[in-house]
């Protein structure tokens, strides 16, 4: 075989290898795009399915309409520019009913509070209301030019102030605070130096919505453990008193976490004896 023929053969072989490599890359990109599209679509469908399933546990509500109003707050919007009032129509469609002596607020005690409230019908947290329930532990957002609900690549809680979940929880917590009446209970964390954080949702929103004479008393349950560094004389708790509307009384009790957990699991125990 002449050297020229050898070179031509080598060029053809390299060209075939190149074409095969490019084809393989293109196919891989297509496969990844299809898989990603299916995954994202499945994520969106699962989000809506979970929303509707949770909503339908509450009788007497038009869950399809609630879903539509929920989406209107953030679809086709910059995910960092969804203010709390964007959820006003949603709140109006599923208002939080006033529940005297039963509302339980919390700050930095989520795990113990939710466990207690789920097992004990004496109290209700915002996460047990219709809107709080359907969106508890969920992540969502939209984007400009799209009418879809996204569940990935959404801004985190601290990434921007007006991201969809943060604005929702601020808005629904405002409504929850407005619904308070009678004796109100708040579980705060006795294992940290500052149990009352004025920047928390409880400190910056909910406690400011308690109005006299609708609300008569705020009872702080300070959840303590062996390593607790705080008691009811903590200076930050005095700031709670300063935030209260004139005419609302205040009390504080130091209660071991183990006692709260035991009480929550004992369905025969009257509510008033938990602390």
């Amino acid at each position: 075989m002449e050297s020229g023929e050898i070179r031509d053969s080598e060029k053809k072989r390299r060209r075939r290898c190149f074409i095969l490599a490019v084809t393989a890359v293109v196919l891989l990109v297509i496969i990844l795009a299809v898989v990603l599209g299916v995954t994202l679509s499945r994520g969106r469908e699962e989000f809506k399915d979970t929303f509707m399933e949770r909503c339908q546990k509450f009788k007497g509500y038009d869950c399809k309409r609630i879903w539509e109003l929920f989406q209107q707050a953030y679809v086709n919007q910059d995910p960092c520019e969804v203010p709390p009032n964007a959820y006003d129509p949603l709140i109006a469609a599923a208002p939080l009913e006033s529940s005297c002596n039963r509302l339980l607020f919390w700050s930095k005690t989520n795990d113990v509070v939710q466990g207690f409230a789920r097992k004990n019908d004496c109290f209700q947290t915002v996460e047990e209301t219709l809107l709080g329930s359907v969106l508890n532990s969920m992540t969502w957002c939209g984007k400009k030019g799209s009418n879809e609900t996204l569940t990935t690549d959404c801004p985190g809680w601290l990434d921007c102030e007006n991201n969809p979940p943060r604005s929702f929880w601020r808005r629904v917590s405002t409504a929850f605070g407005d619904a308070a009446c009678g004796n109100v209970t708040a579980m705060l964390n006795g294992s940290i130096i500052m149990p009352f954080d004025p920047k928390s949702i409880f400190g910056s929103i909910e406690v400011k919505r308690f109005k006299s004479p609708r609300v008569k008393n705020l009872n702080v349950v300070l959840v303590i453990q062996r390593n607790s560094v705080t008691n009811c004389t903590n200076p930050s708790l005095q700031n709670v008193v300063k935030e209260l509307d004139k005419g609302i009384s205040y009390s504080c009790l130091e209660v071991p976490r183990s006692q709260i957990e035991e009480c929550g699991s004992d369905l025969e125990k009257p509510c008033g004896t938990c602390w």
Side-chain angles (χ1 to χ4, degrees):
M1 182 179 289
E2 299 291 334
S3 60
E5 293 176 342
I6 293 174
R7 285 196 296 271
D8 289 343
S9 177
E10 181 68 18
K11 286 181 181 179
K12 290 179 181 179
R13 187 185 68 79
R14 290 178 179 175
R15 189 180 299 114
R16 285 196 299 271
C17 290
F18 176 76
I19 292 172
L20 288 172
V22 170
T23 302
V25 170
V26 170
L27 287 173
L28 179 61
V29 170
I30 292 173
I31 291 171
L32 289 175
V34 170
V35 170
L36 179 60
V38 169
T39 301
L40 293 176
S41 176
R42 186 177 299 162
R44 291 191 290 267
E45 291 173 0
E46 288 177 353
F47 181 94
K48 182 179 180 181
D49 290 345
T50 299
F51 185 104
M52 297 298 289
E53 181 182 342
R54 292 177 177 181
C55 180
Q56 287 163 2
K57 292 179 181 179
F58 293 79
K59 306 302 181 183
Y61 291 93
D62 184 346
C63 292
K64 182 179 179 181
R65 179 59 178 160
I66 289 173
W67 168 256
E68 292 171 350
L69 291 172
F70 167 65
Q71 280 199 304
Q72 288 176 17
Y74 62 87
V75 294
N76 197 24
Q77 301 293 328
D78 184 312
C80 282
E81 296 181 5
V82 179
N85 62 12
Y87 292 99
D88 283 356
L90 176 66
I91 297 294
L96 279 68
E97 297 180 2
S98 232
S99 188
C100 292
N101 308 318
R102 291 191 65 239
L103 297 194
L104 178 59
F105 297 81
W106 59 272
S107 180
K108 298 178 175 62
T109 52
N110 183 35
D111 53 347
V112 63
V113 166
Q114 301 308 331
F116 174 77
R118 278 195 302 269
K119 298 174 184 176
N120 195 312
D121 289 334
C122 300
F123 295 95
Q124 181 186 44
T125 64
V126 67
E127 292 82 7
E128 292 183 300
T129 65
L130 187 154
L131 294 179
S133 172
V134 297
L135 292 168
N136 191 23
S137 301
M138 302 280 264
T139 298
W140 70 93
C141 66
K143 67 178 180 179
K144 280 285 189 180
S146 172
N147 289 324
E148 294 183 329
T149 293
L150 307 178
T151 58
T152 58
D153 296 325
C154 294
W157 185 270
L158 298 177
D159 288 344
C160 51
E161 183 175 357
N162 285 333
N163 65 70
R166 184 171 178 173
S167 289
F168 167 77
W169 286 109
R170 287 162 62 196
R171 182 61 186 88
V172 77
S173 293
T174 298
F176 194 61
D178 288 338
C181 69
N183 297 317
V184 175
T185 303
M187 278 194 189
L188 305 183
N189 192 338
S191 296
I192 57 178
I193 295 174
M194 190 170 68
F196 176 70
D197 181 0
K199 295 181 180 180
S200 67
I201 285 183
F202 176 67
S204 65
I205 296 175
E206 292 169 332
V207 74
K208 295 177 184 294
R209 310 301 296 189
F210 300 163
K211 301 300 179 184
S212 177
R214 280 176 52 80
V215 174
K216 301 186 181 303
N217 177 70
L218 171 62
N219 178 34
V220 168
V221 174
L222 194 63
V223 182
I224 59 173
Q225 302 186 72
R226 287 184 179 180
N227 63 341
S228 292
V229 296
T230 300
N231 57 39
C232 284
T233 64
N234 185 276
S236 76
L237 296 176
Q238 300 310 308
N239 294 326
V240 180
V241 180
K242 294 177 183 177
E243 292 289 350
L244 292 177
D245 203 18
K246 187 177 180 180
I248 300 177
S249 62
Y250 165 85
S251 62
C252 177
L253 291 171
E254 300 160 17
V255 184
R257 174 172 177 153
S258 58
Q259 180 177 325
I260 295 172
E261 292 173 339
E262 181 182 349
C263 185
S265 61
D266 186 352
L267 301 181
E268 301 298 323
K269 203 164 189 175
C271 299
T273 60
C274 287
W275 43 73

